[in-house]
Each structure stands twice: as C-alpha cells, then as structure tokens.
Amino acid sequence: MLSERSKKLRLDIIKLSKANGGYHYGGSFSCVEILLTLFDNILDEKSDKFIMSKGHACWGFYVLLHEKGLKPLLEGHPHRDIHNGVEWTTGSEGHGFPAAVGMSLARKIKKQKGKIFVLIGDGECQEGTTWESMLIAAHHKLDNLTVIADFNKIQGSGFVKDILPVDSLGEVAKSIGWEVNEVDGHNIDELKNSMNKNNSRPTLIIAHTIKGKGVSFMENQPKWHANWPSPEYEKKAIEELSK
C-alpha cells in the first residue's frame, strides 16, 4: 500500500510533467520512495549533496525542489543550477556517478563534512563509467559516498535481463570494497535504515523497485518507460492514485 505522501508525489509528477512536456512516468514512479526518503529523512541541506543521475526520471525531483521553494529549469533532464538544487547536468543514462565520485574525493581531501548521494538507474549500470567510478571510489575508500540504484529491471528499449544483465552489480561492488545493501525500494523504513548507516567505505544500495509503481497499467510495462498518456490514461492514473 502506498502512503498518502507517496500517492501525492505521483499525482504532482503527473500535474507538473504534463504541463511542461514531461513523459518518463515509469522511471519517475519507480523512484518516488527513494526520493522521499532522501528529501524527507536523510539529506542535510547544509552539508549533503544529491545528484539525480537518473536524469529522465527528474519529475519527482523537480516537485520536491519546488516544495523547498526552489525553481529549477523544468526540462526533460536536469541542468546544473546549484542555486536551485541541481548539482549536476544529467541525461538519459546519467553520468552523475563519476561527478559524485569527484565531489566525494574533493571533500575527503579537504576534510569537509557531509555526504554525497547519487541516484542511478539499472540501465545506467551497464555503462563503462559506472564500473570505472566503482573502482575509483573503492580505491580511495570514499566513505562519504552513497549510491542508490533504482533497480526496476526495465530500461528504454526493454527488460534489462534481455539487453545486458547487471545482476552481478552487488557482488562485484562487494568484492572490490563497497558496502552493499539490497532493499525494497518502495519501503521507506528499509531505505532510511540503509541510508543512515555510517560505513568505512563507499555504500551501494540496490533498491528493488517496480517500473511505473502505483498505476496498474504502467507497472512492469516497458512501453511506459517513455510514453505520453492520452487523456483517458491520464484520468485512469489519477483515479487510481486518488483512492
């Protein structure tokens, strides 16, 4: 069962995105609880930074920034605007992880407080920069870095397992020196507990989620990775989330 807060964020995603040309509902809905956990329970505005590497799922991110009185540019992918909460420009497959590694390393060298959190997608985990970033972070023992992978098992062109499986991500990360936790990505208590841990090495949280979570006809359907809902579909989604 979704909380009222989770339902409201999904409804606000529909409202904001439809008015501004957005349409990546599958991934936007799968990471709602991850974003809520970060923004409502984890991030220290004075010392922490968050990078939305999974850029196409930006609409929940935008809504939460609006709640804080910030005004990010409302585009299909976030553009860097640190004064409005966007720490890095990210695209369809991110590349925010390498930037997060750089920020974390800089803080460690300067002995600065605060953590860097980054949200990546499982399609993004297929990229070479992801694996290189994992190696660099482990080598430098970046204990101020937490990576959350929205593991909804679907990417733009189909199911991850059929395109390029990344099931070994956690095993590889653990073998090279990462702290790895696997959680229910829609359970805020599990997410909060895993994000609150203080480890002596970088942390990877594999959050198992459902693409399109909360709207029956979108759940686990690859076509809703990027699909503009008709008025009929939009009405049905709003009705389901309003119950």
Side-chain angles (χ1 to χ4, degrees):
M1 295 293 291
L2 296 177
S3 69
E4 291 305 310
R5 174 80 164 130
S6 291
K7 290 179 182 179
K8 183 179 185 304
L9 182 51
R10 286 175 170 86
L11 287 167
D12 288 343
I13 286 171
I14 294 173
K15 182 178 178 180
L16 188 66
S17 62
K18 286 283 285 188
N20 292 279
Y23 52 88
H24 281 96
Y25 294 106
S28 292
F29 287 172
S30 68
C31 66
V32 161
E33 283 71 34
I34 297 171
L35 291 173
L36 283 177
T37 303
L38 283 163
F39 276 76
D40 290 355
N41 301 283
I42 300 297
L43 293 174
D44 183 329
E45 294 182 21
K46 295 181 180 178
S47 59
D48 297 337
K49 290 184 182 295
F50 169 66
I51 295 176
M52 185 75 184
S53 187
K54 186 185 173 182
H56 56 281
C58 56
W59 295 98
F61 178 43
Y62 291 156
V63 170
L64 291 169
L65 290 177
H66 274 211
E67 286 186 0
K68 293 181 176 296
L70 301 173
K71 300 294 181 183
L73 185 64
L74 299 177
E75 292 190 326
H77 298 101
H79 275 76
R80 186 172 184 265
D81 180 0
I82 59 174
H83 299 295
N84 281 296
V86 182
E87 296 291 343
W88 202 253
T89 298
T90 57
S92 60
E93 293 204 0
H95 301 292
F97 188 2
V101 167
M103 292 178 186
S104 300
L105 180 57
R107 286 193 170 199
K108 188 162 187 176
I109 291 170
K110 295 178 179 179
K111 295 181 170 57
Q112 293 179 339
K113 294 181 179 180
K115 293 184 177 182
I116 308 297
F117 294 86
V118 56
L119 176 60
I120 65 176
D122 45 7
E124 186 177 347
C125 292
Q126 298 161 345
E127 296 183 338
T129 54
T130 296
W131 298 91
E132 292 169 28
S133 297
M134 286 174 61
L135 288 166
I136 294 169
H139 175 69
H140 290 286
K141 298 180 173 61
L142 299 181
D143 56 347
N144 58 351
L145 174 64
T146 297
V147 176
I148 306 108
D150 180 7
F151 221 68
N152 62 35
K153 304 165 186 66
I154 296 173
Q155 60 191 98
S157 48
F159 289 94
V160 174
K161 65 180 178 62
D162 297 327
I163 297 166
L164 192 61
V166 289
D167 294 337
S168 61
L169 178 69
E171 294 176 17
V172 172
K174 192 177 296 183
S175 72
I176 63 174
W178 281 67
E179 177 74 22
V180 178
N181 296 298
E182 295 198 37
V183 301
D184 176 349
H186 299 299
N187 186 312
I188 287 180
D189 287 335
E190 286 189 29
L191 287 164
K192 185 164 55 174
N193 288 338
S194 62
M195 292 181 197
N196 264 329
K197 292 180 179 178
N198 290 314
N199 299 307
S200 59
R201 48 188 178 168
T203 298
L204 170 65
I205 299 169
I206 298 176
H208 292 280
T209 62
I210 296 172
K211 194 93 166 186
K213 175 70 174 179
V215 177
S216 61
F217 60 85
M218 291 185 183
E219 289 189 354
N220 283 321
Q221 298 299 316
K223 73 176 183 178
W224 287 103
H225 173 86
N227 197 8
W228 184 265
S230 66
E232 291 75 20
Y233 272 131
E234 180 185 358
K235 180 181 178 182
K236 186 176 179 181
I238 291 172
E239 286 176 350
E240 290 188 13
L241 292 169
S242 299
K243 292 179 180 178

